[in-house]
Amino acid sequence: MSERIATVTRDTQETQITVTVNLDGEGRLACETGVPFLDHMLDQVARHGLIDLDIKAVGDLHIDDHHTVEDLGITLGQAFAQAIGDKRGIRRYGHAYVPLDEALSRVVIDFSGRPGLFMDVEFTRAAIGRLDTQLFWEFFQGFVNHARVTLHIDNLKGFNAHHQAETIFKAFGRALRMAVEPDPRMAGQMPSTKGCL
């Protein structure tokens, strides 16, 4: 399998974002988004997904975090779509349950080519630090639409909002890792009876 690395830049009147993703990395993150809790969550994705992420984002944070978080999801999704290529030989599906103390989340992903986000999470706080918890949905919606994946996110337990979010992002990283891994039994075949994804 050739190098699965992609760099994507999104430049709008609201944000300027560049994302480089290496699907076969070591879990390294270089990140400057201006949104500290988001940086912490992206570190979980990189570390637990064994995906290298290099992210530079400048956004209109003087207004709020919305455009930066949403556009980062979009740009990350585009980078994944480019890096994954035609999807031959990958496992395609990934899933993970991750606990953190009282919190437990499940994430299931399918690199199906069909965007769909199904997120059942009731955060116990409206914000973590200064980050509005509603923006997690915007991040994942941007990712799903542009990576063209089906993504199910369920927070099954938890009363600490930080723990809820962290279990979600850790499970997202683990599910990504499983889904994008080369499957030696597939021997470069398309993981679909359709012959394409």
Side-chain angles (χ1 to χ4, degrees):
M1 194 169 278
S2 61
E3 275 196 340
R4 300 189 300 165
I5 300 171
T7 299
V8 173
T9 296
R10 179 178 175 83
D11 190 353
T12 75
Q13 292 182 4
E14 297 168 338
T15 62
Q16 297 80 48
I17 298 173
T18 298
V19 171
T20 299
V21 60
N22 178 358
L23 300 183
D24 303 303
E26 298 175 354
R28 290 193 296 255
L29 174 74
C31 188
E32 300 171 19
T33 69
V35 185
F37 191 75
L38 180 61
D39 292 352
H40 180 46
M41 294 300 96
L42 292 168
D43 194 21
Q44 306 308 318
V45 175
R47 185 76 51 90
H48 294 280
L50 288 180
I51 296 162
D52 291 345
L53 295 174
D54 189 339
I55 298 168
K56 294 180 180 65
V58 176
D60 53 3
L61 300 179
H62 61 285
I63 296 174
D64 69 5
D65 297 338
H66 189 287
H67 298 137
T68 300
V69 175
E70 179 181 27
D71 285 9
L72 184 53
I74 290 169
T75 312
L76 187 63
Q78 291 171 336
F80 262 81
Q82 286 189 25
I84 201 83
D86 69 2
K87 304 174 193 166
R88 288 184 186 277
I90 66 166
R91 295 191 187 279
R92 175 180 167 178
Y93 302 100
H95 59 87
Y97 285 82
V98 170
L100 175 56
D101 298 341
E102 89 299 342
L104 174 66
S105 292
R106 175 183 60 214
V107 173
V108 183
I109 194 166
D110 176 11
F111 276 80
S112 60
R114 295 184 303 278
L117 175 61
F118 305 91
M119 189 168 173
D120 187 4
V121 180
E122 292 185 19
F123 284 104
T124 58
R125 286 171 49 197
I128 304 171
R130 71 165 202 227
L131 182 60
D132 184 341
T133 53
Q134 290 183 330
L135 295 182
F136 293 124
W137 189 91
E138 299 293 343
F139 172 85
F140 286 115
Q141 186 67 67
F143 179 85
V144 159
N145 285 343
H146 293 271
R148 297 187 298 279
V149 299
T150 301
L151 181 63
H152 289 255
I153 299 172
D154 296 284
N155 175 238
L156 305 174
K157 297 178 181 177
F159 56 78
N160 181 302
H162 186 129
H163 292 174
Q164 289 177 291
E166 193 161 330
T167 57
I168 288 166
F169 277 85
K170 285 178 175 176
F172 179 56
R174 295 289 297 190
L176 284 170
R177 176 179 170 183
M178 181 186 292
V180 304
E181 273 184 341
D183 184 346
R185 295 184 65 196
M186 288 299 294
Q189 296 178 61
M190 185 64 66
S192 172
T193 55
K194 296 181 179 68
C196 64
L197 284 171

